[in-house]
Amino acid sequence: MSRVAVFPGSFDPMTNAHLDVARRAATLFDRLVVGVLNNPRKSPLFTVDERIAQIQEAVADFGVNVEVAGFDGLTVEFARRHEAGFIVRGLRAVSDFEAELQMAHTNRKLQPGVDTVFLMSALDYGYLSSSLAKEVAQFGGEIAGMVPDPVAVALRTRFSTPG
Ligand code: PNS
């Protein structure tokens, strides 16, 4: 039986920490579906379609077992639609743990057949977050090394001042 995992997140935008987790997860599972949440309560910088396109470009060399899709609603429902038995999440530091534990327990309660698998973020990216990358880009700082190239291009374009 093939092992399928979803890797859900806001990815507004994807960072190199996310990309590293996706790359490693792709080697652990037969199929990995990166899920971009359409969260109506947040005002994202990038639309779901923009985020999907950025991530597709970033994972293009990972192999054919990686897909990218948008989703609304519950992560466990997204997992069910893709026949996934696992949810992948990255942990950067102890500070991530409490919220991730709560989410993992909630998801297990909702769908006992789906387990959450945590990968420790690469040490180099432990400080990174989507919000910080956006803030650095907004004020003209260098974001190379923080986000995948397609995301860096999109951030520079979004925050470039005309003229
Ligand atoms: O990148 P993020 O914002 O840390 O990702 C959070 C995400 C998308 C994994 C989480 O908010 C989520 O699963 N949302 C979907 C709604 C849901 O399933 N809620 C119940 C479980 S927490």
Side-chain angles (χ1 to χ4, degrees):
M1 213 181 123
S2 75
R3 289 184 180 272
V4 183
V6 292
F7 178 29
S10 305
F11 301 119
D12 185 44
M14 177 173 257
T15 66
N16 279 343
H18 295 129
L19 189 66
D20 170 67
V21 168
R23 181 184 282 109
R24 285 152 60 204
T27 68
L28 296 174
F29 296 97
D30 298 308
R31 195 156 65 87
L32 180 75
V33 188
V34 180
V36 180
L37 178 68
N38 181 22
N39 187 347
R41 283 180 307 179
K42 285 191 183 172
S43 323
L45 180 65
F46 296 110
T47 66
V48 170
D49 286 345
E50 286 170 331
R51 282 176 268 164
I52 290 173
Q54 293 160 9
I55 298 168
Q56 276 171 336
E57 204 178 327
V59 303
D61 64 344
F62 281 17
V64 290
N65 67 330
V66 183
E67 293 162 38
V68 189
F71 76 103
D72 293 289
L74 292 174
T75 287
V76 288
E77 199 38 46
F78 178 66
R80 193 193 58 74
R81 280 204 301 280
H82 290 275
E83 299 180 332
F86 303 91
I87 296 168
V88 171
R89 294 283 291 168
L91 284 177
R92 287 166 302 186
V94 174
S95 51
D96 283 340
F97 182 78
E98 207 164 305
E100 293 296 335
L101 182 72
Q102 211 176 7
M103 279 200 270
H105 282 313
T106 305
N107 286 329
R108 195 107 192 276
K109 181 85 181 161
L110 290 168
Q111 190 55 263
V114 176
D115 235 317
T116 303
V117 174
F118 292 103
L119 294 180
M120 300 306 143
S121 295
L123 201 53
D124 284 354
Y125 304 132
Y127 67 96
L128 262 179
S129 70
S130 300
S131 319
L132 275 181
K134 279 186 281 197
E135 191 170 303
V136 171
Q138 183 175 3
F139 296 112
E142 186 50 66
I143 46 170
M146 293 185 189
V147 293
D149 290 344
V151 172
V153 170
L155 282 171
R156 288 187 195 113
T157 306
R158 189 56 58 96
F159 291 119
S160 69
T161 40

